[in-house]
C-alpha cells in the first residue's frame, strides 16, 4: 500500500469517526434544549401554583385571624382554640409558599432590594428577642457575644434580617435538641462577621455539598424539621451575595453541631 | 438583497453549530473564504461581492468535516430567514 493511499484511507476513517461523534453531539444538543425548555416550563408552573395557593392561604389566614381577634364577637373557647391553631398552621403554609416564590424570583433575578443604611447589630438583637420564646420552649439558651464597634451597613434590612439573621438562628433552634446556641458578631477590617453556632444534629460531608442549593434538604433533615422547605439557606445565600457578602457553614459531621458564618461589608 | 441578511444567516449557522461542536464552529468558520470572523465578539461579516457563495463555502466546510448531518443543521438554523427570501437569493446549499 503506498503512503498516499494510507493517508487517504486514514482521512476517510477520520471523517467517518468525526461524523459519528457529530451525530452524538447533535443528539446531546437536542436533549439539552428539550431539558432547558422543560425546566423553564416547570419553573413557570411552580411560580403560578405558588402564587395561586398563597392567595387562597392569605384569605384563610384573614378568616381565622378575625375569629381569634374577636371580630365576630365572643366565640366558644373550643372554636377559638381551633382558630388559633388553624391560624398558626396557615401562617406556616404562607411562609412555605413565600419561600418557594422567593427562591424562584431570586433565581430569575426578579428581586428588588431596598438598600439603605441600618444597624446590623440592632437587627441581630431584635431577631434574638423575637426567637427567644421558641428557644425557651426547647430549653435552649443563647450565648451572645457582640464585640464593640459600629455595625452600620447598607442593605435591605428586612431581607437580611428575615432571610439571613432570623433564618440562621431559627435553624439552630430547630436542629438543636438541647444545649446552647452561640451567636457572635464581630468586626474586622472593612467587614463584619455574624455567626450562629449550635451543638445540634450537625452536617455530614454529603449534606454540606447541597446545603445552599435549591431544595437542598439534608438526608435526615426532614426527620428533625418536618416543615423544612429546603429553600431557606439557598435564599440566605442569594440575599447575602446580593449585598457583596459571603455565607458558609462548618461542621465536624453528623451529631457534632454546626456553625454558620455570614460576612458582610461594613458601611 | 443586502448583505445584512447573509451576515445574519452566517451568524445563525455558526451559532447553531457551536451548540453542537463548541468553539470549533468558530475556528472552522475562520477558514472559510468570503467570511470575516471576530473571535473575541463571536461575530461574522460576509464580504461583499457574492455573499451567497460565502455562505455556501461555510456550509461546505462543516459538511467536509462532519458529513450530511451538519448540512441539515445549517439548513434548519436559517429556515426562518429562508422563508423571507426569494428563491433565487437563497444560497444553493440551503435550497
Amino acid at each position: 500500500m503506498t503512503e498516499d493511499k494510507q493517508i487517504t484511507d486514514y482521512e476517510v476513517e477520520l471523517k467517518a469517526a468525526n461524523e459519528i461523534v457529530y451525530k452524538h453531539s447533535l443528539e446531546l444538543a437536542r436533549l439539552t434544549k428539550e431539558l432547558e425548555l422543560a425546566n423553564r416550563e416547570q419553573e413557570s408552573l411552580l411560580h403560578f401554583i405558588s402564587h395561586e395557593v398563597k392567595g387562597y392561604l392569605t384569605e384563610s389566614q384573614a378568616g381565622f385571624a378575625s375569629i381569634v381577634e374577636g371580630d365576630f364577637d365572643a366565640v366558644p373557647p373550643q372554636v377559638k382554640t381551633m382558630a388559633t391553631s388553624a391560624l398558626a398552621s396557615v401562617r406556616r403554609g404562607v411562609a412555605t409558599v413565600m419561600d418557594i416564590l422567593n427562591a424562584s424570583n431570586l433565581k430569575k433575578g426578579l428581586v428588588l432590594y431596598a438598600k439603605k443604611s441600618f444597624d446590623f447589630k440592632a437587627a441581630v438583637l431584635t431577631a434574638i428577642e423575637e426567637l427567644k420564646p421558641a428557644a425557651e420552649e426547647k430549653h435552649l439558651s443563647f450565648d451572645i457575644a457582640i464585640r464593640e464597634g459600629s455595625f452600620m451597613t447598607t442593605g435591605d434590612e428586612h431581607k437580611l434580617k428575615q432571610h439571613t439573621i432570623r433564618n440562621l438562628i431559627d435553624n439552630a433552634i430547630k436542629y438543636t435538641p438541647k444545649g446552647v446556641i452561640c451567636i457572635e458578631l464581630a468586626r474586622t477590617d472593612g467587614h463584619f462577621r455574624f455567626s450562629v453556632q449550635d451543638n445540634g444534629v450537625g452536617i455530614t460531608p454529603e449534606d454540606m455539598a447541597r446545603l445552599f442549593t435549591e431544595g437542598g434538604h439534608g438526608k435526615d433533615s426532614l426527620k428533625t424539621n418536618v416543615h423544612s422547605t429546603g429553600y431557606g439557606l439557598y435564599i440566605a445565600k442569594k440575599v447575602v451575595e446580593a449585598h457583596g457578602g459571603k455565607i458558609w457553614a462548618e461542621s465536624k459531621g453528623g451529631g457534632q453541631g454546626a456553625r454558620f458564618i455570614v460576612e458582610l461589608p461594613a458601611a | 438583497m443586502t448583505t445584512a441578511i447573509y451576515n445574519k444567516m452566517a451568524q445563525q449557522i455558526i451559532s447553531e453549530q457551536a451548540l453542537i461542536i463548541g468553539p470549533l464552529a468558530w475556528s472552522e468558520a475562520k477558514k472559510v473564504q468570503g467570511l470575516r470572523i471576530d473571535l473575541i465578539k463571536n461575530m461574522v461579516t460576509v464580504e461583499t461581492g457574492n455573499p451567497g457563495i460565502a455562505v455556501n463555502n461555510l456550509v461546505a466546510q462543516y459538511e467536509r468535516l462532519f458529513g450530511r448531518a451538519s448540512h441539515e443543521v445549517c439548513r434548519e438554523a436559517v429556515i426562518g430567514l429562508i422563508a423571507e427570501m426569494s428563491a433565487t437569493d437563497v444560497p444553493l446549499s440551503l435550497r
Side-chain angles (χ1 to χ4, degrees), chain A residues 137-158:
Chain A
E137 214 178 291
K138 288 182 77 174
H139 307 291
L140 298 170
S141 57
F142 288 136
D143 179 1
I144 302 164
I146 296 180
R147 305 277 171 87
E148 290 295 316
S150 165
F151 292 96
M152 295 299 292
T153 189
T154 303
D156 187 319
E157 182 178 2
H158 171 76

Side-chain angles (χ1 to χ4, degrees), chain B residues 10-30:
Chain B
Q11 186 79 36
Q12 280 177 204
I13 287 171
I14 301 170
S15 297
E16 193 66 22
Q17 292 289 353
L19 290 176
I20 300 160
I21 57 176
L24 189 62
W26 288 96
S27 49
E28 285 302 317
K30 206 165 162 61

Side-chain angles (χ1 to χ4, degrees), chain A residues 115-221:
Chain A
K115 289 185 180 179
K116 56 183 195 327
S117 182
F118 75 98
D119 186 350
F120 193 86
K121 173 178 158 184
V124 169
L125 291 172
T126 306
I128 290 171
E129 273 312 302
E130 287 169 0
L131 290 166
K132 219 176 232 179
E136 284 167 356
E137 214 178 291
K138 288 182 77 174
H139 307 291
L140 298 170
S141 57
F142 288 136
D143 179 1
I144 302 164
I146 296 180
R147 305 277 171 87
E148 290 295 316
S150 165
F151 292 96
M152 295 299 292
T153 189
T154 303
D156 187 319
E157 182 178 2
H158 171 76
K159 286 190 177 67
L160 277 169
K161 187 180 157 201
Q162 194 64 26
H163 298 301
T164 309
I165 302 170
R166 271 192 69 105
N167 191 6
L168 295 186
I169 300 174
D170 195 34
N171 277 353
I173 294 170
K174 287 191 170 106
Y175 291 98
T176 305
K178 59 180 179 179
V180 180
I181 293 166
C182 303
I183 299 167
E184 281 184 23
L185 183 59
R187 189 170 169 133
T188 58
D189 283 334
H191 288 86
F192 53 83
R193 199 175 264 208
F194 165 69
S195 69
V196 180
Q197 181 161 358
D198 62 68
N199 56 338
V201 303
I203 308 164
T204 63
E206 181 193 14
D207 288 345
M208 187 68 86
R210 297 152 32 102
L211 206 59
F212 294 97
T213 60
E214 256 184 294
H217 280 295
K219 201 164 152 242
D220 295 319
S221 74

Side-chain angles (χ1 to χ4, degrees), chain A residues 217-232:
Chain A
H217 280 295
K219 201 164 152 242
D220 295 319
S221 74
L222 283 171
K223 288 182 197 169
T224 312
N225 176 16
V226 296
H227 300 296
S228 168
T229 61
Y231 286 99

Side-chain angles (χ1 to χ4, degrees), chain A residues 14-15 18-19 22-23 25-26 29 33, chain B residues 16-17 20-21 64-67 70 73:
Chain A
L14 185 60
K15 189 179 170 185
N18 272 351
E19 285 183 33
Y22 185 89
K23 282 178 184 164
S25 297
L26 179 58
K33 263 188 197 169
Chain B
E16 193 66 22
Q17 292 289 353
I20 300 160
I21 57 176
R64 198 167 21 253
L65 289 167
F66 303 114
S70 72
V73 166

